C-alpha cells in the first residue's frame, strides 16, 4: 500500500514538474478549446433562453438586466469584468398612425400597425413590452400625399421611374426591404423629392414567395403581420457627440445641428407589414411596374402610381438621453499585456433578439466559459484578450463607437485585431468577412472545426462547396460593430456567422422558438461559431508571430483597382499611381514574410536568442500597424468620420461593401455631373488611395525613406 502511494505521489510530482518547466505548446490548448470535451450546446441554449425571455431594447430595464446577466457570467468564469456606461441620444415612438384613402368618394382604411400574436405563443404575456413599430431617429411629422411604388428604393430605381415619366415630388413612396439599408431608402426618397416613406416586407423576399407557403410558427417565413423595424440613422455613435465619447457632462451638439448634419432623415418614415404593403399596392394605379419589380406568384399586379391611393402618415417620436451599458471582460496577457485581441458582440435587440444579436451573445459566453476551462488546465495568453458586449448597436453602432472614440489613441497603438459576431446563427452555411491579411487565418481555423451539419467534413470543406463568389467577404458596409474599429481607426477586423439573411429579422418573431425550430434546433451551429471565433482569437493572442499575410491584401487591391480602371477606361483617369503603390505593398509583404521565416530559422542559434524578443516584437508591430496606414485624417469626402480609404460604406447604401469608397463615390458623382471638375475629383481620389497604400508598404518595410 505504501509502495503504491509512493509511486502515485512520484507520478504526480513528475507530472507537475513537467507541466511547470515544460508546459504544453499553445497549439495543445487550441486543440483542446475546439474539442467536444469543452463545448456545451446545452449551456448555449440556456444562455439564449435567458437573454431572450423579454424584449430588451437599448435603454430599457430589461436590457440592463441582460447586461447584469452577461456581467455575472463573465465574473463566474474568473474573468475581470466591468460595465462602461455612456449617456446617449435614443428615440422611442410616442404616437403613430397610418390611413389610406382609396379615392375621394371612399372612406379611409386605417392600419393597426400591430404584429399579431399566434396561438400558443410562449411570449404572449410579454408581447406588450415590444416597442410599437417604428424607425429609430425617424423625423416626426404628418404628411399626406399620393403613393408611388419605388421597388427597393435604390438610386437606380428612381432612375427607372424617371425614364417612365413618373414624378416622385410631393408623394409618399412605398419601398420594399431587401437590397439596401433602410436609412438609405428614406434618404434616397428625400433626395428624389418625396415627403414621406413607407417600407414593407414583401412576401416574395420574406414570406416564402406566396402561394401555399406557410409562415412562422409553422415555417421559418415572416407572418403577414410581421414588421421589420430598425434605425434610419446614417451615422455611427451618439448623434449629439459626433467624433467624441458621450461621457457624463460632455459637450453635445443641439438637435438642430444633428438634423443639419445629413445623418438623420428629414422626412417622416414608417415600417409596415407585408399585408399592409399589399393593401396599399392594390390601390396604386398608373403604369405597370417592370417584371423584376413585381411580387410573389399570387400577389396583385404592382403599378407605380402616383395614386390614386392617398396616405396620411403621422409619426411623433420622443428623444431621450438614456444610459447604455457595455459589458467588458479582460484576460490579461502574460508576455505582451499591452497588445489587445478584442472579441465583440452586441446585446440590445429591437424585440426578443434570438438571432440578432443574442445568438452571438450566447456564443460569446460560450467562448468565455471555454477560456476559463483552458485557464484551469494551465493556459495563459501571450497577449491580452478583451471580451466586449456592446449596447445600443441597433440605434447606430452606438456602444462600440463611443468606446472606440473614448479609447481611440490607446486602441490605435495597441489593438491587434477586432473579431465580431453579431447574428451568430440564422441557419446553415458558414460565412466570414474580414480584412485580407486575416484570410489565411480564417481559412485555417475553419479547417480545424467540424461542420455541425455534416460530421464527415470540416466547416472549410462545406464553405468552399457552397460559395460561388469570393470565399471571404469584405467589411466595407457599416452593418455591425466592426465599423468603428476598422473604418474609423484602422484595426484589422473579421466578422463571422452561420446562415445568411433570415425572414423574421428585426420583428417580434425573432425569438427562442424560431431559433429552436428553424435556426439551430440542436444548437450545434452555435457551438461551431464559438469554436471558430475562439480559435481565431487564440491564435492571434498566443502565436509568437502575428498570423497576418499582407500578400493577400495586395492581391485584393490589385483586382479591385483593375475593375475600377475597366469601369471608366474611357474617361482619361490614370490608375498607374495606385498600381505602383500596390506593387510596393506586395514587395513589402513578401519581404516581411521572409524576415519572419529568417527569425524562426535563427532561433536555434544561441547568439540570436538575446535579440529574439525585440526582433519579434518589432516585426509584429509592423504587421499590426500597417492597417492603420490605410486611414486618412481627413476621412472620406463629406463623411469625415470614415477614415479608412480601402473599406467603408457606399454613400447610397450603408450596408454596401465596397473597396476604395472615395473613388467609388467620386465616380458616381462624376457620372451624374459629367464635368471636367467632377472627373478631376476622381483622379484626386485615386491619388489619395495610392498614397495610403504606399504608407502601408512603408510601415511593413519598417524603414524611413
Amino acid at each position: 500500500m505504501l509502495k503504491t502511494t509512493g509511486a502515485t505521489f512520484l507520478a504526480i510530482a513528475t507530472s507537475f514538474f513537467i507541466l511547470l518547466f515544460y508546459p504544453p505548446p499553445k497549439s495543445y490548448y487550441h486543440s483542446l478549446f475546439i474539442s467536444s470535451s469543452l463545448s456545451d450546446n446545452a449551456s448555449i441554449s440556456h444562455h439564449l433562453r435567458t437573454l431572450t425571455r423579454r424584449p430588451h431594447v437599448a435603454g430599457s430595464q430589461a436590457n440592463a438586466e441582460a447586461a447584469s446577466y452577461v456581467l455575472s457570467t463573465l465574473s463566474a468564469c474568473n474573468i475581470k469584468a466591468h460595465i462602461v456606461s455612456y449617456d446617449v441620444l435614443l428615440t422611442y415612438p410616442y404616437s403613430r398612425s397610418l390611413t389610406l384613402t382609396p379615392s375621394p368618394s371612399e372612406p379611409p382604411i386605417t392600419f393597426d400597425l400591430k404584429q399579431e400574436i399566434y396561438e400558443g405563443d410562449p411570449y404572449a404575456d410579454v408581447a406588450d413590452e415590444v416597442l410599437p413599430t417604428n424607425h429609430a431617429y425617424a423625423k416626426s411629422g404628418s404628411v399626406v400625399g399620393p403613393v408611388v411604388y419605388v421597388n427597393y428604393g435604390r438610386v437606380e430605381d428612381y432612375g427607372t421611374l424617371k425614364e417612365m415619366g413618373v414624378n416622385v415630388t410631393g408623394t409618399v413612396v412605398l419601398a420594399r426591404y431587401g437590397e439596401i439599408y433602410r436609412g438609405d431608402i428614406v434618404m434616397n426618397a428625400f433626395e428624389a423629392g418625396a415627403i414621406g416613406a413607407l417600407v414593407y416586407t414583401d412576401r416574395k423576399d420574406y414570406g416564402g414567395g406566396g402561394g401555399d407557403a406557410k409562415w412562422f410558427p409553422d415555417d421559418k417565413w415572416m407572418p403577414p403581420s410581421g414588421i421589420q423595424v430598425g434605425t434610419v440613422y446614417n451615422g455611427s455613435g451618439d448623434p449629439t457627440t459626433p467624433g467624441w465619447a458621450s461621457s457624463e457632462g460632455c459637450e453635445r451638439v443641439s438637435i438642430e445641428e444633428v438634423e443639419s448634419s445629413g445623418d438623420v432623415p428629414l422626412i417622416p418614415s414608417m415600417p409596415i407589414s407585408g399585408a399592409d404593403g399589399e393593401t396599399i399596392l392594390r390601390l396604386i394605379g398608373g403604369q405597370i411596374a417592370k417584371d423584376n419589380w413585381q411580387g410573389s406568384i399570387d400577389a396583385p399586379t404592382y403599378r407605380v402610381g402616383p395614386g390614386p391611393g392617398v396616405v396620411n402618415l403621422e409619426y411623433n417620436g420622443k428623444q431621450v438621453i438614456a444610459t447604455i451599458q457595455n459589458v467588458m471582460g479582460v484576460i490579461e496577457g502574460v508576455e505582451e499585456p499591452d497588445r489587445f485581441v478584442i472579441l465583440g458582440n452586441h446585446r440590445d435587440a429591437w424585440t426578443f433578439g434570438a438571432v440578432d444579436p443574442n445568438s452571438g451573445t450566447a456564443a460569446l459566453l460560450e467562448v468565455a466559459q471555454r477560456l476559463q476551462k483552458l485557464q484551469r488546465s494551465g493556459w495563459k495568453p501571450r497577449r491580452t484578450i478583451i471580451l466586449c458586449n456592446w449596447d445600443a448597436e441597433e440605434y447606430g453602432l452606438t456602444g462600440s463607437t463611443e468606446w472606440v472614440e473614448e479609447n481611440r489613441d490607446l486602441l490605435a497603438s495597441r489593438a491587434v485585431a477586432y473579431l465580431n459576431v453579431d447574428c451568430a446563427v440564422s441557419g446553415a452555411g458558414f460565412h466570414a468577412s474580414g480584412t485580407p491579411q486575416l484570410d489565411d487565418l480564417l481559412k485555417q481555423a475553419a479547417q480545424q472545426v467540424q461542420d455541425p451539419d455534416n460530421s464527415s467534413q470540416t466547416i472549410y470543406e462545406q464553405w468552399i462547396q457552397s460559395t460561388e463568389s469570393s470565399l471571404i467577404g469584405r467589411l466595407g458596409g457599416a452593418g455591425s460593430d466592426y465599423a468603428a474599429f476598422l473604418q474609423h481607426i484602422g484595426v484589422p477586423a473579421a466578422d463571422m456567422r452561420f446562415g445568411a439573411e433570415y425572414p423574421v429579422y428585426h420583428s417580434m418573431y425573432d425569438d427562442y422558438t424560431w431559433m429552436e425550430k428553424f435556426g439551430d434546433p440542436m444548437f450545434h451551429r452555435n457551438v461551431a461559431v464559438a469554436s471558430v471565433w475562439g480559435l481565431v482569437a487564440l491564435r492571434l493572442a498566443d502565436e509568437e508571430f502575428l498570423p497576418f499575410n499582407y500578400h493577400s491584401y495586395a492581391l485584393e487591391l490589385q483586382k479591385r483597382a483593375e475593375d475600377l480602371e475597366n469601369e471608366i477606361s474611357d474617361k482619361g483617369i490614370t490608375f498607374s499611381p495606385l498600381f505602383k503603390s500596390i506593387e510596393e505593398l506586395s514587395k513589402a509583404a513578401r519581404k516581411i514574410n521572409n524576415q519572419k521565416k529568417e527569425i524562426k530559422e535563427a532561433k536555434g542559434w544561441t547568439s540570436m536568442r538575446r535579440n529574439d524578443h525585440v526582433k519579434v516584437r518589432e516585426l509584429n508591430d509592423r504587421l499590426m500597424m500597417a492597417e492603420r496606414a490605410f486611414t486618412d485624417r481627413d476621412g472620406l469626402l463629406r463623411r469625415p468620420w470614415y477614415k479608412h480609404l480601402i473599406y467603408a460604406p457606399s454613400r447610397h447604401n450603408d450596408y454596401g461593401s465596397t473597396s476604395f469608397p472615395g473613388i467609388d463615390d467620386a465616380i458616381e458623382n462624376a457620372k451624374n455631373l459629367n464635368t471636367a471638375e467632377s472627373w478631376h475629383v476622381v483622379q484626386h481620389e485615386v491619388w489619395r488611395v495610392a498614397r495610403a497604400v504606399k504608407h502601408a508598404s512603408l510601415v511593413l518595410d519598417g524603414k524611413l525613406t
Side-chain angles (χ1 to χ4, degrees):
M1 183 69 181
L2 288 174
K3 288 183 179 179
T4 304
T5 303
T8 302
F9 177 79
L10 181 61
I12 294 173
T14 302
S15 298
F16 178 77
F17 178 84
I18 292 172
L19 287 173
L20 182 63
F21 294 98
Y22 300 97
K26 292 294 178 69
S27 58
Y28 163 80
Y29 294 110
H30 299 176
S31 297
L32 183 61
F33 179 86
I34 61 175
S35 68
S36 58
S37 62
L38 261 64
S39 62
D40 191 346
N41 60 328
S43 177
I44 290 180
S45 172
H46 170 74
H47 290 319
L48 188 63
R49 187 186 290 274
T50 302
L51 289 163
T52 60
R53 61 188 177 87
R54 294 170 61 192
H56 48 286
V57 71
S60 67
Q61 180 59 35
N63 200 37
E65 292 171 5
S68 296
Y69 178 78
V70 173
L71 181 70
S72 64
T73 304
L74 292 178
S75 298
C77 295
N78 291 323
I79 294 173
K80 295 178 182 178
H82 63 283
I83 286 178
V84 181
S85 298
Y86 299 99
D87 298 323
V88 303
L89 178 71
L90 303 180
T91 69
Y92 303 99
Y94 179 74
S95 66
R96 74 219 204 291
S97 66
L98 180 68
T99 60
L100 170 68
T101 303
S103 69
S105 61
E106 296 178 84
I109 299 168
T110 300
F111 300 100
D112 65 14
L113 306 176
K114 291 182 179 179
Q115 302 182 84
E116 296 175 0
I117 298 169
Y118 58 87
E119 185 177 349
D121 186 347
Y123 298 99
D125 60 329
V126 291
D128 60 349
E129 296 181 27
V130 175
L131 274 184
T133 54
N134 75 105
H135 283 153
Y137 300 111
K139 174 77 172 176
S140 293
S142 175
V143 295
V144 179
V147 188
V148 171
Y149 170 57
V150 296
N151 196 24
Y152 293 109
R154 301 166 296 185
V155 171
E156 55 263 40
D157 292 326
Y158 287 100
T160 298
L161 289 171
K162 186 175 181 180
E163 292 172 0
M164 296 172 70
V166 177
N167 186 3
V168 178
T169 303
T171 68
V172 176
V173 302
L174 176 68
R176 54 182 176 180
Y177 285 114
E179 292 294 330
I180 63 173
Y181 169 59
R182 73 188 70 78
D184 290 309
I185 292 176
V186 180
M187 195 69 70
N188 292 345
F190 168 75
E191 292 180 354
I195 58 173
L198 300 171
V199 191
Y200 78 103
T201 48
D202 197 296
R203 279 191 293 163
K204 182 179 180 180
D205 300 309
Y206 296 91
D212 297 328
K214 297 180 180 179
W215 52 79
F216 185 70
D218 298 316
D219 207 335
K220 68 178 183 178
W221 302 105
M222 178 82 94
S225 70
I227 300 174
Q228 182 193 133
V229 301
T231 188
V232 288
Y233 176 46
N234 280 296
S236 292
D238 182 353
T240 67
T241 61
W244 64 90
S246 298
S247 52
E248 185 177 356
C250 69
E251 176 190 10
R252 294 184 186 276
V253 302
S254 67
I255 298 301
E256 291 73 23
E257 289 174 292
V258 170
E259 291 187 346
S260 66
S261 70
D263 288 332
V264 295
L266 299 178
I267 58 174
S269 67
M270 187 180 294
I272 62 174
S273 68
D276 292 348
E278 245 182 52
T279 297
I280 296 172
L281 281 160
R282 292 179 189 278
L283 295 171
I284 296 177
Q287 300 175 62
I288 294 176
K290 296 169 61 177
D291 288 347
N292 59 0
W293 286 39
Q294 296 297 325
S296 56
I297 54 176
D298 56 349
T301 299
Y302 292 1
R303 296 176 180 269
V304 297
V310 173
V311 298
N312 184 335
L313 186 168
E314 293 187 21
Y315 175 76
N316 289 291
K318 53 184 177 181
Q319 299 168 329
V320 178
I321 298 294
T323 299
I324 62 170
Q325 299 177 313
N326 294 334
V327 184
M328 319 295 290
V330 181
I331 304 174
E332 191 167 302
V334 175
E335 297 168 72
E336 297 184 75
D338 60 342
R339 293 293 178 263
F340 308 148
V341 175
I342 307 170
L343 292 77
N345 152 268
H346 75 96
R347 180 186 67 259
D348 65 297
W350 287 119
T351 61
F352 297 97
V355 173
D356 183 10
N358 297 131
S359 60
T361 314
L364 184 72
L365 298 179
E366 165 74 1
V367 169
Q369 290 173 325
R370 291 197 216 174
L371 293 179
Q372 180 196 25
K373 295 172 184 176
L374 286 190
Q375 287 180 300
R376 288 174 177 170
S377 300
W379 166 81
K380 295 178 181 179
R382 179 187 181 97
R383 304 179 184 92
T384 295
I385 294 175
I386 304 176
L387 306 176
C388 310
N389 186 228
W390 310 116
D391 201 352
E393 186 268 1
E394 296 293 5
Y395 276 83
L397 316 179
T398 309
S400 59
T401 298
E402 298 309 309
W403 190 74
V404 169
E405 289 176 344
E406 185 168 49
N407 298 282
R408 180 188 293 113
D409 294 335
L410 202 59
L411 291 169
S413 62
R414 298 185 178 185
V416 171
Y418 175 73
L419 307 174
N420 190 69
V421 171
D422 190 326
C423 306
V425 177
S426 59
F430 182 72
H431 300 271
S433 299
T435 45
Q437 75 274 59
L438 296 175
D439 285 1
D440 291 349
L441 177 59
L442 289 167
K443 293 174 185 176
Q444 290 161 8
Q447 287 169 351
Q448 290 183 253
V449 179
Q450 186 182 84
D451 178 7
D453 297 301
N454 184 349
S455 60
S456 67
Q457 63 182 10
T458 65
I459 287 176
Y460 181 76
E461 289 169 322
Q462 169 271 313
W463 192 11
I464 58 175
Q465 291 167 13
S466 62
T467 304
E468 295 179 1
S469 56
S470 299
L471 187 65
I472 298 175
R474 300 302 168 209
L475 297 176
S480 195
D481 289 301
Y482 53 76
F485 289 91
L486 172 62
Q487 297 162 3
H488 188 57
I489 63 173
V491 173
D495 182 84
M496 59 200 79
R497 65 184 294 173
F498 262 85
E501 296 179 359
Y502 65 107
V504 297
Y505 173 66
H506 281 192
S507 75
M508 70 177 286
Y509 307 108
D510 181 5
D511 60 19
Y512 182 88
T513 302
W514 191 93
M515 175 64 76
E516 191 177 40
K517 293 182 72 171
F518 306 112
D520 191 11
M522 299 302 294
F523 290 88
H524 290 157
R525 294 168 186 157
N526 280 269
V527 167
V529 168
S531 294
V532 178
W533 193 11
L535 183 57
V536 171
L538 283 170
R539 290 193 56 191
L540 287 166
D542 284 342
E543 291 193 6
E544 184 177 22
F545 294 92
L546 291 178
F548 290 173
N549 183 1
Y550 277 89
H551 185 61
S552 299
Y553 222 128
L555 293 175
E556 178 81 8
L557 298 186
Q558 179 75 21
K559 181 179 183 302
R560 180 57 182 153
E562 289 172 355
D563 290 342
L564 281 177
E565 184 182 45
N566 292 333
E567 181 183 343
I568 55 171
S569 58
D570 60 340
K571 301 300 181 182
I573 304 299
T574 176
F575 280 79
S576 57
L578 180 53
F579 288 124
K580 181 180 178 182
S581 293
I582 293 171
E583 176 57 29
E584 291 174 357
L585 179 66
S586 182
K587 289 179 181 177
R590 288 194 295 269
K591 182 178 178 181
I592 199 169
N593 287 344
N594 289 333
Q595 289 171 340
K596 186 190 301 185
K597 183 178 179 181
E598 289 169 5
I599 295 174
K600 286 181 179 179
E601 291 174 348
K603 287 181 72 64
W605 294 88
T606 305
S607 60
M608 292 294 294
R609 288 178 184 171
R610 189 177 302 169
N611 297 320
D612 274 353
H613 177 75
V614 174
K615 286 190 172 186
V616 171
R617 173 83 167 190
E618 188 273 338
L619 185 144
N620 281 337
D621 283 351
R622 285 187 273 145
L623 289 169
M624 181 180 74
M625 298 302 292
E627 187 73 50
R628 317 286 198 269
F630 292 125
T631 63
D632 183 282
R633 73 180 71 181
D634 295 328
L636 297 179
L637 186 64
R638 293 188 293 275
R639 297 186 292 155
W641 187 86
Y642 294 104
K643 307 295 185 186
H644 208 283
L645 299 189
I646 310 299
Y647 296 116
S650 163
R651 196 169 80 86
H652 288 286
N653 181 13
D654 202 55
Y655 288 161
S657 178
T658 63
S659 300
F660 310 135
I663 301 176
D664 271 342
D665 287 347
I667 289 174
E668 181 183 359
N669 186 59
K671 285 181 177 179
N672 289 332
L673 299 177
N674 200 25
T675 62
E677 182 180 356
S678 64
W679 286 108
H680 177 74
V681 173
V682 174
Q683 186 66 74
H684 172 65
E685 290 296 328
V686 172
W687 275 107
R688 285 186 76 198
V689 174
R691 288 191 288 270
V693 175
K694 182 176 181 179
H695 292 161
S697 66
L698 290 172
V699 172
L700 279 182
D701 194 52
K703 293 182 180 179
L704 296 172
T705 57

